[in-house]
Amino acid sequence: MKDSHGRTIDYLRISLTDRCNFRCVYCMPEDGVCQMGHDEILRIEEIERLVRVAAGIGIKSVRLTGGEPLVRKGVVGLVETLTSIPGIENVSMTTNGVLLPRMIDDLKAAGLSRVNISLDTLDAEQFRAITRVGNLDDTLAGIDAALEAGLNPVKVNAVTVRSLNQDFLEFAKLSIDRPLHVRFIEYMPLGDTSEDSGTGWGKADVIPSEELCALINEQARAAGLPELRPAGASKPLGWGPARYFEFPGAQGTVGFISPLSRHFCAECNRLRVTADGKVRPCLFSDTEYDVRTALREGDDEAVHGVLLEALGAKPDEHHDKVGTDRKMSQIGG
Ligand code: SAM
Ligand code: SF4
Protein backbone atom coordinates (compact mmCIF):
# COMPACT_ATOMS: atom_id res chain seq x y z
CA MET A 1 0.00 0.00 0.00
CA LYS A 2 1.35 3.45 -0.94
CA ASP A 3 0.95 6.51 1.27
CA SER A 4 0.13 9.97 -0.07
CA HIS A 5 3.84 10.64 -0.69
CA GLY A 6 4.28 7.55 -2.85
CA ARG A 7 6.09 5.48 -0.22
CA THR A 8 5.27 1.78 0.11
CA ILE A 9 4.18 1.06 3.68
CA ASP A 10 4.69 -2.60 4.52
CA TYR A 11 6.15 -2.56 8.04
CA LEU A 12 4.31 -2.39 11.36
CA ARG A 13 6.03 -1.84 14.71
CA ILE A 14 3.89 -2.86 17.63
CA SER A 15 4.59 -2.00 21.25
CA LEU A 16 3.47 -4.88 23.47
CA THR A 17 3.83 -3.02 26.75
CA ASP A 18 5.14 0.21 28.25
CA ARG A 19 6.66 -1.77 31.12
CA CYS A 20 10.31 -2.64 31.30
CA ASN A 21 12.86 -4.42 33.48
CA PHE A 22 15.36 -1.57 32.80
CA ARG A 23 15.14 2.18 33.35
CA CYS A 24 17.49 3.53 30.68
CA VAL A 25 18.31 7.17 31.38
CA TYR A 26 17.27 8.42 27.93
CA CYS A 27 14.08 6.38 27.78
CA MET A 28 12.39 6.43 31.19
CA PRO A 29 12.46 8.39 34.40
CA GLU A 30 14.04 6.57 37.35
CA ASP A 31 10.72 5.61 38.90
CA GLY A 32 9.37 4.33 35.56
CA VAL A 33 6.72 6.09 33.54
CA CYS A 34 3.16 6.31 34.73
CA GLN A 35 2.14 2.85 33.60
CA MET A 36 -0.86 2.13 31.46
CA GLY A 37 -3.63 0.12 33.13
CA HIS A 38 -4.13 -3.51 32.06
CA ASP A 39 -7.41 -2.59 30.42
CA GLU A 40 -5.77 0.09 28.35
CA ILE A 41 -3.24 -2.25 26.80
CA LEU A 42 -4.17 -4.19 23.67
CA ARG A 43 -4.92 -7.82 24.46
CA ILE A 44 -2.99 -10.52 22.65
CA GLU A 45 -6.05 -11.48 20.58
CA GLU A 46 -6.54 -7.82 19.64
CA ILE A 47 -2.98 -7.57 18.39
CA GLU A 48 -3.49 -10.74 16.33
CA ARG A 49 -6.68 -9.31 14.84
CA LEU A 50 -4.94 -6.02 14.07
CA VAL A 51 -2.14 -7.78 12.21
CA ARG A 52 -4.60 -9.87 10.19
CA VAL A 53 -6.29 -6.69 9.01
CA ALA A 54 -2.92 -4.95 8.47
CA ALA A 55 -1.75 -7.84 6.29
CA GLY A 56 -4.79 -7.09 4.13
CA ILE A 57 -3.49 -3.58 3.37
CA GLY A 58 -0.01 -4.82 2.50
CA ILE A 59 1.87 -5.08 5.80
CA LYS A 60 4.50 -7.81 5.38
CA SER A 61 6.85 -7.31 8.33
CA VAL A 62 6.00 -6.94 11.98
CA ARG A 63 8.41 -5.91 14.73
CA LEU A 64 7.44 -6.40 18.36
CA THR A 65 8.85 -3.89 20.76
CA GLY A 66 7.97 -1.93 23.90
CA GLY A 67 8.87 -1.19 26.74
CA GLU A 68 10.41 -4.61 26.97
CA PRO A 69 8.42 -7.02 24.75
CA LEU A 70 9.71 -10.12 26.54
CA VAL A 71 8.06 -9.14 29.84
CA ARG A 72 4.67 -9.31 28.12
CA LYS A 73 2.76 -12.49 29.01
CA GLY A 74 1.80 -14.52 25.94
CA VAL A 75 4.55 -13.14 23.71
CA VAL A 76 5.68 -16.57 22.44
CA GLY A 77 2.15 -17.58 21.43
CA LEU A 78 1.71 -14.20 19.78
CA VAL A 79 4.83 -14.71 17.66
CA GLU A 80 3.55 -18.12 16.64
CA THR A 81 0.18 -16.76 15.56
CA LEU A 82 1.60 -13.74 13.75
CA THR A 83 4.05 -15.81 11.72
CA SER A 84 1.16 -17.96 10.49
CA ILE A 85 -0.91 -15.03 9.18
CA PRO A 86 -1.02 -15.07 5.36
CA GLY A 87 0.94 -12.14 3.95
CA ILE A 88 3.17 -11.72 7.02
CA GLU A 89 6.66 -12.61 5.84
CA ASN A 90 8.61 -12.00 8.99
CA VAL A 91 8.19 -11.24 12.65
CA SER A 92 11.10 -9.69 14.50
CA MET A 93 11.71 -8.16 17.90
CA THR A 94 13.65 -5.38 19.59
CA THR A 95 14.69 -6.30 23.13
CA ASN A 96 17.21 -5.51 25.84
CA GLY A 97 18.11 -9.21 25.67
CA VAL A 98 17.90 -10.05 29.37
CA LEU A 99 15.19 -12.68 28.98
CA LEU A 100 16.49 -14.13 25.71
CA PRO A 101 18.61 -16.95 27.18
CA ARG A 102 15.55 -18.51 28.79
CA MET A 103 13.10 -17.73 25.96
CA ILE A 104 15.05 -17.96 22.73
CA ASP A 105 14.34 -21.63 21.95
CA ASP A 106 10.59 -21.13 22.30
CA LEU A 107 10.70 -17.89 20.33
CA LYS A 108 12.65 -19.52 17.55
CA ALA A 109 10.29 -22.50 17.45
CA ALA A 110 7.42 -20.00 17.27
CA GLY A 111 8.97 -18.51 14.14
CA LEU A 112 10.91 -15.47 15.33
CA SER A 113 13.52 -14.86 12.67
CA ARG A 114 15.39 -11.72 13.59
CA VAL A 115 16.24 -9.86 16.71
CA ASN A 116 17.68 -6.45 17.56
CA ILE A 117 19.32 -6.26 20.95
CA SER A 118 19.92 -2.88 22.55
CA LEU A 119 23.29 -2.37 24.19
CA ASP A 120 24.97 1.00 24.62
CA THR A 121 28.25 0.14 26.30
CA LEU A 122 30.64 -2.74 27.00
CA ASP A 123 31.66 -1.32 30.35
CA ALA A 124 29.81 -2.97 33.24
CA GLU A 125 29.71 0.14 35.42
CA GLN A 126 28.59 2.37 32.61
CA PHE A 127 25.96 -0.22 31.64
CA ARG A 128 24.54 -0.07 35.15
CA ALA A 129 24.59 3.74 35.07
CA ILE A 130 22.74 3.88 31.72
CA THR A 131 20.15 1.19 32.46
CA ARG A 132 20.03 2.15 36.17
CA VAL A 133 19.28 -1.47 37.15
CA GLY A 134 20.74 -3.79 34.50
CA ASN A 135 23.77 -6.10 34.42
CA LEU A 136 25.97 -6.11 31.35
CA ASP A 137 26.49 -9.88 31.51
CA ASP A 138 22.76 -10.50 31.16
CA THR A 139 22.49 -8.60 27.89
CA LEU A 140 25.73 -10.17 26.59
CA ALA A 141 24.26 -13.59 27.39
CA GLY A 142 21.18 -12.58 25.40
CA ILE A 143 23.34 -11.80 22.38
CA ASP A 144 25.15 -15.14 22.72
CA ALA A 145 21.82 -16.96 22.96
CA ALA A 146 20.46 -15.29 19.82
CA LEU A 147 23.58 -16.20 17.85
CA GLU A 148 23.65 -19.76 19.18
CA ALA A 149 20.00 -20.23 18.24
CA GLY A 150 20.92 -19.25 14.68
CA LEU A 151 18.75 -16.15 14.41
CA ASN A 152 19.75 -14.13 11.39
CA PRO A 153 20.46 -11.32 11.40
CA VAL A 154 21.30 -10.50 15.01
CA LYS A 155 21.69 -6.73 15.30
CA VAL A 156 23.05 -4.80 18.26
CA ASN A 157 21.68 -1.27 18.56
CA ALA A 158 23.63 1.37 20.46
CA VAL A 159 22.27 4.85 21.11
CA THR A 160 25.17 7.29 20.96
CA VAL A 161 25.22 10.08 23.52
CA ARG A 162 28.23 12.39 23.54
CA SER A 163 28.32 12.97 27.29
CA LEU A 164 28.33 9.22 27.95
CA ASN A 165 31.73 8.93 26.24
CA GLN A 166 31.11 5.38 24.98
CA ASP A 167 33.93 3.26 23.52
CA PHE A 168 32.78 3.14 19.91
CA LEU A 169 35.73 1.25 18.46
CA GLU A 170 35.31 -1.65 20.92
CA PHE A 171 31.68 -1.72 19.89
CA ALA A 172 32.39 -1.72 16.18
CA LYS A 173 34.88 -4.55 16.72
CA LEU A 174 32.03 -6.79 17.94
CA SER A 175 31.22 -7.20 14.25
CA ILE A 176 34.58 -8.77 13.39
CA ASP A 177 34.60 -12.28 14.84
CA ARG A 178 30.90 -13.07 14.89
CA PRO A 179 28.02 -12.33 12.48
CA LEU A 180 26.84 -9.38 14.55
CA HIS A 181 25.50 -6.23 12.96
CA VAL A 182 26.30 -3.30 15.22
CA ARG A 183 24.24 -0.16 14.58
CA PHE A 184 24.86 3.26 16.06
CA ILE A 185 21.72 5.35 16.45
CA GLU A 186 21.68 9.11 16.94
CA TYR A 187 20.13 10.16 20.22
CA MET A 188 16.62 11.41 19.45
CA PRO A 189 14.60 14.13 21.20
CA LEU A 190 11.65 12.08 22.45
CA GLY A 191 9.37 12.88 25.35
CA ASP A 192 9.85 15.87 27.60
CA THR A 193 13.33 17.13 26.74
CA SER A 194 13.51 19.79 29.44
CA GLU A 195 16.42 19.68 31.86
CA ASP A 196 14.28 18.86 34.88
CA SER A 197 12.55 15.93 33.13
CA GLY A 198 15.22 13.54 34.45
CA THR A 199 15.69 12.15 30.94
CA GLY A 200 16.66 15.35 29.18
CA TRP A 201 17.97 15.53 25.65
CA GLY A 202 20.33 18.22 24.48
CA LYS A 203 21.54 18.92 20.97
CA ALA A 204 25.10 18.85 22.28
CA ASP A 205 24.65 15.16 23.09
CA VAL A 206 23.86 14.17 19.49
CA ILE A 207 26.83 12.70 17.64
CA PRO A 208 26.12 12.99 13.90
CA SER A 209 26.77 9.64 12.18
CA GLU A 210 29.40 11.05 9.85
CA GLU A 211 31.42 12.40 12.75
CA LEU A 212 31.10 9.05 14.52
CA CYS A 213 32.20 7.05 11.48
CA ALA A 214 35.27 9.29 11.12
CA LEU A 215 36.02 8.91 14.83
CA ILE A 216 35.84 5.10 14.65
CA ASN A 217 38.18 5.11 11.64
CA GLU A 218 40.60 7.39 13.46
CA GLN A 219 40.57 5.06 16.48
CA ALA A 220 40.96 2.02 14.19
CA ARG A 221 44.02 3.53 12.51
CA ALA A 222 45.54 4.32 15.90
CA ALA A 223 44.97 0.68 16.92
CA GLY A 224 46.58 -0.62 13.71
CA LEU A 225 43.25 -1.82 12.29
CA PRO A 226 41.98 -1.22 8.77
CA GLU A 227 39.23 1.39 8.29
CA LEU A 228 35.56 0.68 7.71
CA ARG A 229 34.53 0.33 4.08
CA PRO A 230 30.99 0.31 2.61
CA ALA A 231 29.44 -3.11 3.23
CA GLY A 232 28.98 -5.36 0.26
CA ALA A 233 27.00 -8.58 0.12
CA SER A 234 27.18 -8.99 3.90
CA LYS A 235 24.60 -6.23 4.45
CA PRO A 236 22.02 -7.76 6.80
CA LEU A 237 18.49 -8.57 5.77
CA GLY A 238 15.91 -5.95 6.60
CA TRP A 239 18.61 -3.30 6.37
CA GLY A 240 16.07 -0.49 6.75
CA PRO A 241 17.30 3.02 7.28
CA ALA A 242 20.92 2.24 8.28
CA ARG A 243 23.98 2.83 6.13
CA TYR A 244 26.27 -0.18 6.49
CA PHE A 245 30.04 -0.50 6.60
CA GLU A 246 32.36 -3.37 7.47
CA PHE A 247 35.91 -4.06 8.52
CA PRO A 248 37.62 -6.03 5.73
CA GLY A 249 37.12 -9.75 6.42
CA ALA A 250 34.62 -9.18 9.25
CA GLN A 251 31.66 -11.53 9.69
CA GLY A 252 29.24 -8.73 10.52
CA THR A 253 28.76 -5.07 9.72
CA VAL A 254 28.69 -1.64 11.35
CA GLY A 255 25.64 0.49 10.56
CA PHE A 256 24.76 4.10 11.19
CA ILE A 257 21.17 5.22 11.70
CA SER A 258 20.85 8.99 11.35
CA PRO A 259 17.30 10.13 12.09
CA LEU A 260 18.59 13.65 12.79
CA SER A 261 21.63 14.31 10.62
CA ARG A 262 20.30 12.54 7.54
CA HIS A 263 16.59 11.93 7.73
CA PHE A 264 15.42 8.79 6.06
CA CYS A 265 11.83 10.07 5.91
CA ALA A 266 11.76 9.64 2.11
CA GLU A 267 12.36 5.90 2.64
CA CYS A 268 9.98 5.55 5.61
CA ASN A 269 7.98 2.33 5.23
CA ARG A 270 6.30 2.01 8.61
CA LEU A 271 3.38 2.59 10.91
CA ARG A 272 3.66 2.23 14.68
CA VAL A 273 1.09 1.01 17.16
CA THR A 274 1.45 1.96 20.82
CA ALA A 275 0.70 -0.53 23.58
CA ASP A 276 -2.61 1.22 24.23
CA GLY A 277 -3.72 0.83 20.65
CA LYS A 278 -2.93 4.15 19.00
CA VAL A 279 -1.61 4.10 15.46
CA ARG A 280 1.19 6.62 15.02
CA PRO A 281 2.01 7.65 11.47
CA CYS A 282 5.36 9.20 12.48
CA LEU A 283 7.66 8.67 15.47
CA PHE A 284 8.18 12.42 15.87
CA SER A 285 4.55 13.49 15.56
CA ASP A 286 2.00 13.20 18.34
CA THR A 287 -0.89 12.68 15.95
CA GLU A 288 -2.35 9.29 16.83
CA TYR A 289 -5.35 7.27 15.62
CA ASP A 290 -7.27 5.09 18.04
CA VAL A 291 -7.60 1.54 16.76
CA ARG A 292 -8.40 -0.08 20.13
CA THR A 293 -12.06 0.89 20.08
CA ALA A 294 -12.58 -0.71 16.67
CA LEU A 295 -10.69 -3.83 17.79
CA ARG A 296 -12.80 -4.12 20.97
CA GLU A 297 -15.97 -3.75 18.94
CA GLY A 298 -14.76 -6.56 16.70
CA ASP A 299 -15.27 -4.31 13.70
CA ASP A 300 -12.58 -5.27 11.17
CA GLU A 301 -13.85 -2.79 8.64
CA ALA A 302 -13.35 0.03 11.14
CA VAL A 303 -9.86 -1.31 12.00
CA HIS A 304 -9.08 -1.24 8.29
CA GLY A 305 -10.39 2.34 8.13
CA VAL A 306 -8.21 3.51 11.03
CA LEU A 307 -5.11 1.98 9.45
CA LEU A 308 -5.85 3.69 6.14
CA GLU A 309 -6.51 6.99 7.87
CA ALA A 310 -3.17 6.79 9.69
CA LEU A 311 -1.41 5.81 6.50
CA GLY A 312 -2.94 8.77 4.70
CA ALA A 313 -1.71 11.06 7.48
CA LYS A 314 1.95 10.12 7.22
CA PRO A 315 3.85 13.41 6.90
CA ASP A 316 6.48 13.85 4.18
CA GLU A 317 9.16 14.26 6.87
CA HIS A 318 9.57 15.09 10.53
CA HIS A 319 10.80 18.63 9.97
CA ASP A 320 13.33 18.60 12.84
CA LYS A 321 10.65 18.52 15.49
CA VAL A 322 12.10 18.29 19.01
CA GLY A 323 10.24 16.55 21.82
CA THR A 324 7.09 14.43 21.79
CA ASP A 325 4.33 13.87 24.33
CA ARG A 326 5.52 10.35 24.97
CA LYS A 327 8.93 8.81 25.52
CA MET A 328 10.26 5.91 23.45
CA SER A 329 9.21 3.32 26.04
CA GLN A 330 5.60 4.51 25.65
CA ILE A 331 5.61 4.89 21.89
CA GLY A 332 7.44 1.66 21.16
CA GLY A 333 11.02 1.97 19.96
N1 SAM B 1 13.24 -2.53 25.56
C1 SAM B 1 13.61 -2.84 24.23
C2 SAM B 1 15.02 -2.42 23.94
O1 SAM B 1 15.59 -1.65 24.71
O2 SAM B 1 15.53 -2.85 22.92
C3 SAM B 1 12.68 -2.30 23.18
C4 SAM B 1 12.14 -0.92 23.37
S1 SAM B 1 13.35 0.38 23.38
C5 SAM B 1 12.33 1.79 23.62
C6 SAM B 1 13.80 0.39 21.66
C7 SAM B 1 15.01 1.19 21.29
O3 SAM B 1 14.75 2.56 21.46
C8 SAM B 1 16.24 0.87 22.11
O4 SAM B 1 17.28 0.48 21.23
C9 SAM B 1 16.57 2.18 22.75
O5 SAM B 1 17.94 2.36 22.89
C10 SAM B 1 15.97 3.17 21.77
N2 SAM B 1 15.72 4.50 22.33
C11 SAM B 1 15.00 4.83 23.41
N3 SAM B 1 14.99 6.17 23.60
C12 SAM B 1 15.75 6.69 22.59
C13 SAM B 1 16.13 8.02 22.21
N4 SAM B 1 15.73 9.07 22.90
N5 SAM B 1 16.91 8.15 21.12
C14 SAM B 1 17.32 7.09 20.41
N6 SAM B 1 16.97 5.83 20.68
C15 SAM B 1 16.21 5.62 21.77
FE1 SF4 C 1 13.52 -0.42 28.69
FE2 SF4 C 1 14.33 -0.49 26.17
FE3 SF4 C 1 13.63 1.83 27.31
FE4 SF4 C 1 15.85 0.67 28.11
S1 SF4 C 1 15.43 1.43 26.04
S2 SF4 C 1 14.23 1.51 29.46
S3 SF4 C 1 15.37 -1.46 27.92
S4 SF4 C 1 12.28 0.13 26.91
Side-chain angles (χ1 to χ4, degrees):
M1 181 68 82
K2 298 247 188 230
D3 72 359
S4 50
H5 305 284
R7 298 169 295 202
T8 299
I9 308 301
D10 57 6
Y11 180 32
L12 191 64
R13 290 177 81 104
I14 305 175
S15 172
L16 298 188
T17 175
D18 63 337
R19 289 164 168 74
C20 187
N21 42 7
F22 281 3
R23 293 278 179 277
C24 300
V25 288
Y26 50 73
C27 183
M28 276 196 190
E30 192 158 12
D31 52 357
V33 282
C34 178
Q35 293 181 342
M36 296 167 188
H38 279 291
D39 263 11
E40 289 176 75
I41 290 192
L42 289 186
R43 299 178 194 116
I44 293 289
E45 318 78 74
E46 290 166 348
I47 297 171
E48 291 166 359
R49 182 170 207 135
L50 172 67
V51 174
R52 271 181 219 288
V53 177
I57 66 160
I59 294 296
K60 296 186 179 132
S61 302
V62 174
R63 175 168 296 275
L64 304 177
T65 179
E68 175 48 44
L70 291 179
V71 304
R72 176 73 197 257
K73 238 181 167 174
V75 62
V76 174
L78 175 65
V79 170
E80 190 167 11
T81 307
L82 297 187
T83 51
S84 71
I85 292 177
I88 298 300
E89 295 172 3
N90 72 78
V91 177
S92 58
M93 186 175 284
T94 299
T95 168
N96 61 32
V98 171
L99 294 171
L100 275 181
R102 73 183 87 141
M103 296 177 77
I104 192 77
D105 291 341
D106 290 343
L107 287 166
K108 182 157 190 223
L112 189 76
S113 48
R114 313 168 180 184
V115 75
N116 290 1
I117 300 170
S118 305
L119 171 66
D120 303 324
T121 176
L122 296 170
D123 178 273
E125 265 178 45
Q126 191 176 47
F127 186 90
R128 171 56 65 93
I130 293 174
T131 62
R132 293 198 181 101
V133 292
N135 292 314
L136 174 64
D137 285 345
D138 294 341
T139 292
L140 293 179
I143 294 174
D144 293 346
L147 286 171
E148 275 160 29
L151 262 61
N152 184 25
V154 176
K155 298 178 186 169
V156 174
N157 289 347
V159 178
T160 57
V161 183
R162 199 181 298 274
S163 56
L164 289 178
N165 203 17
Q166 296 136 295
D167 188 342
F168 298 118
L169 178 63
E170 274 315 299
F171 239 103
K173 279 165 59 184
L174 289 178
S175 68
I176 296 179
D177 295 330
R178 299 194 292 174
L180 273 179
H181 302 281
V182 176
R183 287 131 41 102
F184 295 110
I185 304 176
E186 288 171 355
Y187 186 24
M188 294 182 277
L190 298 171
D192 177 1
T193 58
S194 64
E195 263 179 39
D196 54 5
S197 65
T199 58
W201 171 93
K203 215 168 188 169
D205 260 335
V206 178
I207 312 178
S209 296
E210 254 179 55
E211 178 188 332
L212 182 58
C213 187
L215 178 72
I216 291 172
N217 278 333
E218 194 184 308
Q219 292 175 340
R221 280 195 304 275
L225 285 170
E227 292 186 14
L228 291 168
R229 64 180 187 197
S234 52
K235 223 157 52 176
L237 270 175
W239 62 284
R243 278 174 305 150
Y244 282 100
F245 296 80
E246 63 191 1
F247 287 116
Q251 293 194 44
T253 59
V254 177
F256 296 88
I257 302 183
S258 326
L260 303 181
S261 69
R262 181 185 167 271
H263 308 168
F264 34 81
C265 302
E267 297 142 50
C268 186
N269 63 347
R270 63 200 57 187
L271 287 176
R272 292 170 188 269
V273 180
T274 63
D276 55 349
K278 305 282 187 290
V279 187
R280 237 176 129 98
C282 171
L283 174 61
F284 289 97
S285 161
D286 288 311
T287 311
E288 297 181 341
Y289 296 83
D290 173 36
V291 76
R292 190 181 63 197
T293 306
L295 285 166
R296 298 224 159 137
E297 284 167 357
D299 184 348
D300 284 356
E301 225 169 277
V303 173
H304 187 255
V306 173
L307 288 173
L308 289 188
E309 202 182 352
L311 194 131
K314 272 185 78 64
D316 57 342
E317 57 165 278
H318 62 67
H319 299 285
D320 297 324
K321 185 173 178 295
V322 170
T324 48
D325 287 349
R326 310 214 225 187
K327 292 215 85 71
M328 196 67 134
S329 52
Q330 297 168 301
I331 298 168

